[in-house]
Amino acid sequence: MNFYIVSLIKIALVFAIFMTTLAYLQWVERKVLAHIQSRTGPLRVGPHGLMQPLADVFKLLTKEDLLPPYVSRFFYLLAPFIAVSLALIAISIIPFGPEIDVFGYRTYMQISDVNVGILFILAIAAVSVYGVALAGWSSNNKYSLLGGLRSSAQMISYELPFTLVIVSPLLLANHLSLRSIVDSQAGYYLGFIPRWSIFQIPFPQIFAFIIFMIAGFAETNRVPFDLPEAENELVAGFHTEYSSMKFACFFMAEYANMVTITCIATTLFLGGWHPLFPAPYSNWIAPLVFFVAAILCFIAGVQNVRKRDRYTFPVFGIAFLILAAIFAVPLFWQVTMPIFWFCAKVGFLLFTYIWVRGTLPRFRYDQLMKFAWTFLFPCALINLLLTALFVAVF
Amino acid sequence: MLLWYFGHMPTTYAETWFPVLIQILIALAVASAMIGLSALLGRHVRDPIKFMPYESGMNPVGNARERFSVKFYLVAMVFILFDIEAIFLYPWAVVYRQLRLFAFFEMLLFIVLVLCGFFYIWKKGVLDWSSDEQRRQQREAEIRRAA
């Protein structure tokens, strides 16, 4: 019976952290984009705009919820429902850490280790096209229809290289369960080069990783591929006719998909929770990083630009010091180290997402489709065949 | 404390999928809560202008349920073909280390056969979305016919 209680606790924990991440990812994105463009970003609600996500939720909830008379009512409501609920499911099979021992109870740092993990993820990714396609069609608006069509054609086109490229790390791991894939990436070459998929010898999976990330950008409709939301030609694409929280549903789904895709990239290619350095050194990286962050906060607090920062920066500094202290306790390392390394990798990939958004312009639609079919798809196939050949020969 | 020792790792099928089922239920609940709450909380003011399809401030002309480019349909069809091919690779990848070169050449044969179809589609212009290119090809064909 305990197994069920522990699973419920794990689900509650993961879900709470996941929702907070989604809310604050938006804040981080706005801040990073602002600083790329030499602006300050959200600053008014709370210190450094930290309460902005909360304010946004309340604003969106109390906005007028339009249900236009010309839409197909059932599908119009079903579309955001599909988008959000599917985006929240995939997190349940992501492994965050190894088997841990809590008060003598052994459990995985993962909600459930499904033996067909990758197929489950692909199934969810495939069905989530319905959210966009139905939203575009049911809105009964020309812009929505075009946006929905474009977006669904784009998503299924990029699903091909996405599906093909996942096979090459599978060839190295020979298992569909995400936990076994991470386990197969443990250890170090020559004592210091991690055996992550992107570094593994048979064929450098770094190509597979790049193709995966490009296809991932297109799957989540992020910037170089955000054709459905090309606001200068299609107003807002498939969600033109949505308002209030139904509109926010699509954004929440987009951010959830972003987090899921980066989690999968970390699991398949970047060795999951395995650290970049061998054990004795890697354990001290986390406290060191937080300590440096704390010092930087204190320095920033002394050189105050705004009056309020004289208090906020030292508070952040103290928070970072507490974090550093927690991560420096060897007793907690079995839990804190995997979490730190997993979050560091996912965080880096998420930052790349935002960075690309701040840097690259949008594709033209014919370029986008041509790129998927005549470049990415052959590249994924060649990568797959070379990996297979190298695995078979060595 | 002793009670905790009765816990065990999931072994049966039902136990592996139970947490996923709970997660699915939570996701459905959150999605319906988001849509339901916004319908309940917001202020509703009816206005004929507000209930017009948004077309950049112009009065909408006709219906949106019109015919659209056949390209989208073709892409969907081609996708089904190649996605099935991709899914065939998954069981192959799982048993690959036992079969090695035999599996490699078998799959190479299969992929080459599928690629033949891919190049046929490519040369037929299904993957070509730019109308400029099509018009150029048509013009070239006409010139060739004339010559």
Side-chain angles (χ1 to χ4, degrees), chain A residues 64 112 142 172 174 241 388, chain B residues 16 50 54 61 90 93 96-97:
Chain A
E64 178 170 4
S112 179
K142 283 148 204 146
L172 302 174
N174 297 107
E241 292 294 328
Chain B
T16 316
K50 216 187 270 176
Y54 181 77
V61 179
Y90 279 74
Y96 189 72
R97 272 192 213 270

Side-chain angles (χ1 to χ4, degrees), chain A residues 2 4 64 70 72 88 105 112 114 137 140-143 156 163 172 174 241 244-245 366 373 388 394, chain B residues 3-4 16-18 23 38 43 45 50-51 53-54 56 61 63 65 79 90 93 96-97 100 118 130:
Chain A
N2 267 315
Y4 295 103
E64 178 170 4
Y70 47 86
S72 312
L88 294 180
Y105 184 86
S112 179
V114 176
W137 178 80
N140 206 351
N141 176 324
K142 283 148 204 146
Y143 291 126
I156 60 177
T163 319
L172 302 174
N174 297 107
E241 292 294 328
S244 181
M245 210 61 188
D366 62 310
W373 286 95
F394 296 113
Chain B
L3 200 65
W4 287 99
T16 316
W17 286 95
F18 167 76
Q23 180 80 25
S38 74
R43 215 159 54 93
V45 182
K50 216 187 270 176
F51 282 138
Y54 181 77
S56 311
V61 179
N63 199 303
R65 302 279 155 73
F79 162 73
Y90 279 74
Y96 189 72
R97 272 192 213 270
R100 299 208 161 224
F118 178 68
S130 126

Side-chain angles (χ1 to χ4, degrees), chain A residues 207-273:
Chain A
F207 299 114
F209 177 63
I210 292 168
I211 297 173
F212 181 88
M213 284 315 284
I214 294 174
F217 274 78
E219 282 281 293
T220 46
N221 293 329
R222 291 290 298 186
V223 151
F225 307 103
D226 66 338
L227 268 292
E229 296 155 37
E231 63 269 8
N232 39 17
E233 31 189 303
L234 287 179
V235 189
F238 60 90
H239 51 62
T240 306
E241 292 294 328
Y242 283 89
S243 59
S244 181
M245 210 61 188
K246 294 204 291 292
F247 167 78
C249 275
F250 288 110
F251 275 89
M252 200 174 135
E254 184 184 313
Y255 282 94
N257 285 332
M258 246 166 87
V259 174
T260 314
I261 293 244
T262 48
C263 282
I264 297 163
T266 307
T267 315
L268 290 178
F269 295 101
L270 298 182
W273 61 84

Side-chain angles (χ1 to χ4, degrees), chain A residues 281-316:
Chain A
Y281 311 106
S282 66
N283 290 337
W284 293 104
I285 297 285
L288 192 72
V289 166
F290 288 122
F291 188 70
V292 170
I295 297 292
L296 286 179
C297 278
F298 286 132
I299 292 173
V302 174
Q303 302 170 331
N304 52 323
V305 184
R306 284 186 307 275
K307 222 170 197 176
R308 210 192 285 164
D309 287 347
R310 221 176 299 164
Y311 308 105
T312 54
F313 271 122
V315 169
F316 293 153

Side-chain angles (χ1 to χ4, degrees), chain A residues 68-337:
Chain A
Y70 47 86
V71 299
S72 312
R73 195 163 288 212
F74 177 67
F75 292 113
Y76 180 79
L77 290 175
L78 187 67
F81 186 78
I82 289 180
V84 129
S85 53
L86 284 176
L88 294 180
I89 289 171
I91 200 76
S92 63
I93 60 164
I94 305 285
F96 303 103
E99 198 180 325
I100 53 164
D101 197 322
V102 187
F103 307 124
Y105 184 86
R106 301 195 65 77
T107 184
Y108 291 139
M109 279 170 71
Q110 178 182 18
I111 291 180
S112 179
D113 181 29
V114 176
N115 58 357
V116 289
I118 290 195
L119 292 179
F120 187 75
I121 298 264
L122 284 175
I124 287 175
V127 180
S128 57
V129 179
Y130 278 103
V132 173
L134 284 179
W137 178 80
S138 68
S139 292
N140 206 351
N141 176 324
K142 283 148 204 146
Y143 291 126
S144 299
L145 181 72
L146 284 176
L149 279 174
R150 274 187 178 191
S151 161
S152 30
Q154 169 193 333
M155 278 162 100
I156 60 177
S157 295
Y158 279 87
E159 203 154 295
L160 263 188
F162 189 78
T163 319
L164 277 176
V165 96
I166 291 176
V167 180
S168 50
L170 280 190
L171 281 170
L172 302 174
N174 297 107
H175 215 290
L176 289 174
S177 146
L178 291 173
R179 170 163 300 277
S180 313
I181 291 171
V182 176
D183 283 340
S184 77
Q185 300 174 47
Y188 298 87
Y189 292 116
L190 307 174
F192 67 96
I193 305 171
R195 278 174 57 99
W196 302 350
S197 280
I198 54 166
F199 296 130
Q200 272 192 29
I201 289 300
F203 184 72
Q205 291 303 310
I206 188 99
F207 299 114
F209 177 63
I210 292 168
I211 297 173
F212 181 88
M213 284 315 284
I214 294 174
F217 274 78
E219 282 281 293
T220 46
N221 293 329
R222 291 290 298 186
V223 151
F225 307 103
D226 66 338
L227 268 292
E229 296 155 37
E231 63 269 8
N232 39 17
E233 31 189 303
L234 287 179
V235 189
F238 60 90
H239 51 62
T240 306
E241 292 294 328
Y242 283 89
S243 59
S244 181
M245 210 61 188
K246 294 204 291 292
F247 167 78
C249 275
F250 288 110
F251 275 89
M252 200 174 135
E254 184 184 313
Y255 282 94
N257 285 332
M258 246 166 87
V259 174
T260 314
I261 293 244
T262 48
C263 282
I264 297 163
T266 307
T267 315
L268 290 178
F269 295 101
L270 298 182
W273 61 84
H274 293 301
L276 185 57
F277 309 103
Y281 311 106
S282 66
N283 290 337
W284 293 104
I285 297 285
L288 192 72
V289 166
F290 288 122
F291 188 70
V292 170
I295 297 292
L296 286 179
C297 278
F298 286 132
I299 292 173
V302 174
Q303 302 170 331
N304 52 323
V305 184
R306 284 186 307 275
K307 222 170 197 176
R308 210 192 285 164
D309 287 347
R310 221 176 299 164
Y311 308 105
T312 54
F313 271 122
V315 169
F316 293 153
I318 289 167
F320 275 126
L321 272 187
I322 293 170
L323 266 181
I326 291 171
F327 277 78
V329 180
L331 186 66
F332 299 151
W333 276 353
Q334 60 154 346
V335 179
T336 51
M337 281 305 117

Side-chain angles (χ1 to χ4, degrees), chain B residues 10-143:
Chain B
T11 45
T12 63
Y13 206 67
E15 278 176 345
T16 316
W17 286 95
F18 167 76
V20 180
L21 184 72
I22 296 290
Q23 180 80 25
I24 291 173
L25 290 180
I26 291 178
L28 293 181
V30 167
S32 24
M34 280 173 74
I35 293 171
L37 267 182
S38 74
L40 288 178
L41 286 180
R43 215 159 54 93
H44 294 268
V45 182
R46 298 186 70 86
D47 183 341
I49 303 288
K50 216 187 270 176
F51 282 138
M52 258 164 46
Y54 181 77
E55 293 190 0
S56 311
M58 310 292 280
N59 284 338
V61 179
N63 199 303
R65 302 279 155 73
E66 299 227 341
R67 302 208 288 176
F68 49 84
S69 172
V70 72
K71 289 268 181 194
F72 292 107
Y73 184 67
L74 283 176
V75 164
M77 262 179 15
V78 174
F79 162 73
I80 291 173
L81 288 178
F82 288 109
D83 207 37
I84 289 173
E85 181 221 338
I87 285 299
F88 275 138
L89 293 170
Y90 279 74
W92 169 77
V94 171
V95 295
Y96 189 72
R97 272 192 213 270
Q98 284 125 51
L99 303 171
R100 299 208 161 224
L101 273 179
F102 168 71
F104 176 74
F105 285 113
E106 290 287 309
M107 193 42 84
L108 188 66
L109 192 66
F110 175 63
I111 287 177
V112 166
L113 283 178
V114 174
L115 273 185
C116 290
F118 178 68
F119 282 114
Y120 176 75
I121 290 166
W122 191 345
K123 287 296 149 201
K124 273 284 176 187
V126 173
L127 311 178
D128 187 19
W129 285 74
S130 126
S131 49
D132 293 353
E133 186 75 4
Q134 283 171 357
R135 243 175 271 134
R136 193 177 59 80
Q137 280 173 358
Q138 274 173 5
R139 216 180 304 127
E140 278 174 6
E142 276 165 23
I143 291 166

